[in-house]
Amino acid sequence: MLSAKIPARELVGENASGNPEGEAASRRNPMAFRRLVFAAFVLSSMAGLIALMSVTLSTNGISWGEGAMLVCFAATLPWTVIGFWNAVVGLLVMRLSKDPVARVCPVAVGDKSLPLSSSTAVLSCIRNEDVDAVAANLEAMITDLVRSGEAGAFRFYVLSDTSNEIVAAREERVFADLAERWRGDMGVIYRRRKDNFAFKSGNIRDFCERWGHSHDYALVLDADSFMSASTILDMVRRMEANPRLGILQSLVVGMPTTSAFARVFQFGMRLGMRSYTTGSAWWQGDCGPYWGHNAVLRLKPFIEACHLPVLPGKGPLSGPILSHDQVEAVLMRRAGYEVRVLPLETESFEENPPDLLEFIRRELRWCQGNLQYLKLLGLSGIKATSRIQLVLAILMFVSSPAWLIFMALAATLAVVGGDQMLQFDATTGFALFCIIMTMVFAPKIATVLDILADRKLRKRFGGGLRVVAGTAGEIAFSALLAPIMAVAVSVFIAGLPFGRAMGWGAQARSPHGLPLRLTVSKLWPQALFGAAGILWTANQSWALVLPLLPVVLGPLLAVPFALLTARREAGRLALASSLWRIPEEQEAPNCLLPLRLGALTALGAGTVPDYKPDLVKADA
């Protein structure tokens, strides 16, 4: 048990009576102590799981094939074990600390009675996007900031990397109209690059060189980002009050949606995110993550210290860095500035992919970008925690092929080698399966327990029964999705040596159906993997087949799963069930009404106040 090793009050940062020397060391360097404790839990857990797997496979000694399986199993563990302990620590902090956010993110808030004394550039980075949707998001944010009385402290920049000339022509018209409508209230500047070098990171670097020295901070947005004025002002005030804070990342939540796929997915993300992020912030501290959007950057050190290198060589892992955000966080920390995530659910939103194919495309772009970190592990002068974060970012995707190789080895050894090559202990094997599944779902379980223990939280999510039923459905959804994604990532990584790469295109964000032919052309590897798995299980014992069924069912059903969850009818059915509700559906925030009034009505939001667009200006 966790509490048997370290008192819970000490774990959440509140001194407990006991060893005076230990308490003194903790006060001198509390983050070093926390990281040491967390590393001990993670490493001891991994060692225990590897030992249990060794026992499971060693009923007749360990063959070379079983040894290879053990290596692959070890490669899958870091993210699973870290996620589990993040969830455990996060739950303890949320339940035992009077102010969980302040406990893990001690970033003071400036005096709200005083006007802002800084200048912030709001950067909307776009490429071949739905122009009207982007403009609607920006107009709603401008409206909210003007209403707040602090509009003079902000200027909006629409930074375009659009390659489609038709889309570019519409961008020029729409954003010129937006700038004209808000002339005198808010500055809006549109700039389109002809050369799209380095995509988003190059786009922001170009802004820094042109206008960066005119502002103190930059609020970075993706095309689908939306943040309320209250959230923006709170984050900027925190930057003003903490001069050593280089990057402040907000917790980003999904917008209300009518897409069945996005609805279930973002409900699960909402459940797992708070406990996971709170726990990770407890030990990462000032070496926190940056996710590339819905975050505030201190521009002076960002300009001076966060210039990204161009990776040498040829091939998909060379050239500009795609997953630039975590590297920028590492460089900001190297420059002596803090990088922190605020584990608080504020009005900071994004739109999640509406279907499986879009979700896979986004994940594969992240996969390619994260694997580029292999060439950055030797960066000089970076913090040990930052280096570990780069390694973990790589392992997040390397674990997928390791997991599939583990399964393929087991199947091959069972068919070819028989009992001489593969024997396992069913009792310890089942125990190991239960432990791993508990660890995988621990972040969601932890947040569900926190919600169920808090009457106000239960109400925000539509009641305890809806939370439990929605969680059960989301776990089944995730169980199908995980092996589908593992196959997609593994196939993509296998293609990297042959030049396979992901571009940086526009993401589809609105719910829409998928054509059968396209879906089959993208998901046939998953279907083939699932079919092969089903054929293999036909001649195996139930003791071996039962744990493997979830692994093969998801890929086998990948095509119908993608088609079904992308259909508008499925979205309407999900809405009618009243499951997978997020708090913004239960009580709609005013800031979302200009954007989601129709969607919120369709979603049956519990409270949709009258919306009066008093500041939204008519088209010129």
Side-chain angles (χ1 to χ4, degrees), residues 176-188 617:
D177 289 345
L178 183 67
E180 183 61 32
R181 282 200 300 277
W182 291 97
R183 187 181 301 277
D185 294 309
M186 177 72 72
V188 179
K617 301 189 177 183

Side-chain angles (χ1 to χ4, degrees), residues 248-260:
L248 181 61
Q249 173 68 63
S250 71
L251 205 60
V252 189
V253 300
M255 281 192 182
T257 179
T258 56
S259 159

Side-chain angles (χ1 to χ4, degrees), residues 130-143 156 174-175 178 181-182 223 225-226 255 351 591-596 611 616:
D130 181 338
V131 182
D132 295 320
V134 174
N137 280 12
L138 296 181
E139 181 137 42
M141 292 176 66
I142 292 170
T143 299
F156 278 68
V174 168
F175 294 120
L178 183 67
R181 282 200 300 277
W182 291 97
S225 297
F226 176 80
M255 281 192 182
E351 293 185 76
C591 65
L592 280 184
L593 294 180
L595 302 172
R596 291 291 184 271
Y611 172 60
V616 176

Side-chain angles (χ1 to χ4, degrees), residues 39-60:
F41 283 131
V42 169
L43 294 176
S44 60
S45 298
M46 288 180 61
L49 290 170
I50 292 171
L52 189 57
M53 177 59 81
S54 299
V55 171
T56 301
L57 295 175
S58 63
T59 56
N60 191 28

Side-chain angles (χ1 to χ4, degrees), residues 94 131 154 167 187 205 214 223 237 320 371 410 438 470 486 529 533 545 556:
M94 290 189 299
V131 182
F154 297 88
V167 175
R205 176 55 53 178
S214 300
R237 285 196 171 98
L371 293 182
T438 301
F529 176 87
V545 168
L556 181 68

Side-chain angles (χ1 to χ4, degrees), residues 52 55-57 59 423-434 541-544 547:
L52 189 57
V55 171
T56 301
L57 295 175
T59 56
Q423 288 189 356
F424 68 96
D425 185 290
T427 303
T428 58
F430 181 73
L432 187 60
F433 175 79
C434 293
S541 66
W542 278 104
L544 186 59

Side-chain angles (χ1 to χ4, degrees), residues 211-410:
W211 299 290
H213 296 286
S214 300
H215 302 281
D216 300 292
Y217 313 119
L219 173 64
V220 182
L221 304 175
D222 271 354
D224 60 353
S225 297
F226 176 80
M227 299 176 70
S228 70
S230 60
T231 299
I232 295 171
L233 296 176
D234 176 78
M235 294 181 70
V236 172
R237 285 196 171 98
R238 290 176 189 269
M239 295 294 287
E240 287 186 344
N242 300 271
R244 300 309 300 174
L245 185 58
I247 300 177
L248 181 61
Q249 173 68 63
S250 71
L251 205 60
V252 189
V253 300
M255 281 192 182
T257 179
T258 56
S259 159
F261 181 90
R263 184 173 176 82
V264 182
F265 171 77
Q266 68 187 31
F267 177 80
M269 285 289 292
R270 193 69 170 262
L271 291 183
M273 184 167 48
R274 192 152 52 89
S275 65
Y276 185 98
T277 310
T278 300
S280 63
W282 180 82
W283 65 271
Q284 289 179 349
D286 53 10
C287 285
Y290 168 43
W291 301 322
H293 59 97
N294 295 47
V296 181
L297 318 176
R298 190 176 298 273
L299 278 171
K300 188 176 186 297
F302 185 84
I303 293 170
E304 294 175 352
C306 297
H307 203 303
L308 296 177
V310 177
L311 300 179
K314 295 181 180 181
L317 301 186
S318 302
I321 300 170
L322 292 180
S323 295
H324 58 91
D325 37 23
Q326 188 56 47
V327 183
E328 289 163 343
V330 166
L331 296 177
M332 181 68 81
R333 190 68 195 96
R334 184 175 70 174
Y337 288 82
E338 296 181 359
V339 179
R340 291 190 180 271
V341 61
L342 191 65
L344 179 66
E345 290 183 1
T346 58
E347 293 169 340
S348 177
F349 300 96
E350 67 175 347
E351 293 185 76
N352 287 299
D355 60 68
L356 177 59
L357 298 190
E358 281 297 317
F359 183 74
I360 289 175
R361 191 157 68 95
R362 187 183 71 172
E363 290 291 307
L364 296 187
R365 191 182 75 226
W366 290 351
C367 173
Q368 182 180 338
N370 282 23
L371 293 182
Q372 288 180 305
Y373 296 167
L374 288 164
K375 296 188 176 184
L376 297 171
L377 294 178
L379 277 174
S380 62
I382 65 174
K383 302 289 184 180
T385 302
S386 297
R387 206 177 301 275
I388 290 171
Q389 287 171 327
L390 293 179
V391 172
L392 292 175
I394 295 168
L395 290 176
M396 179 171 67
F397 290 101
V398 170
S399 61
S400 290
W403 180 73
L404 285 187
I405 293 171
F406 174 88
M407 304 300 298
L409 280 171

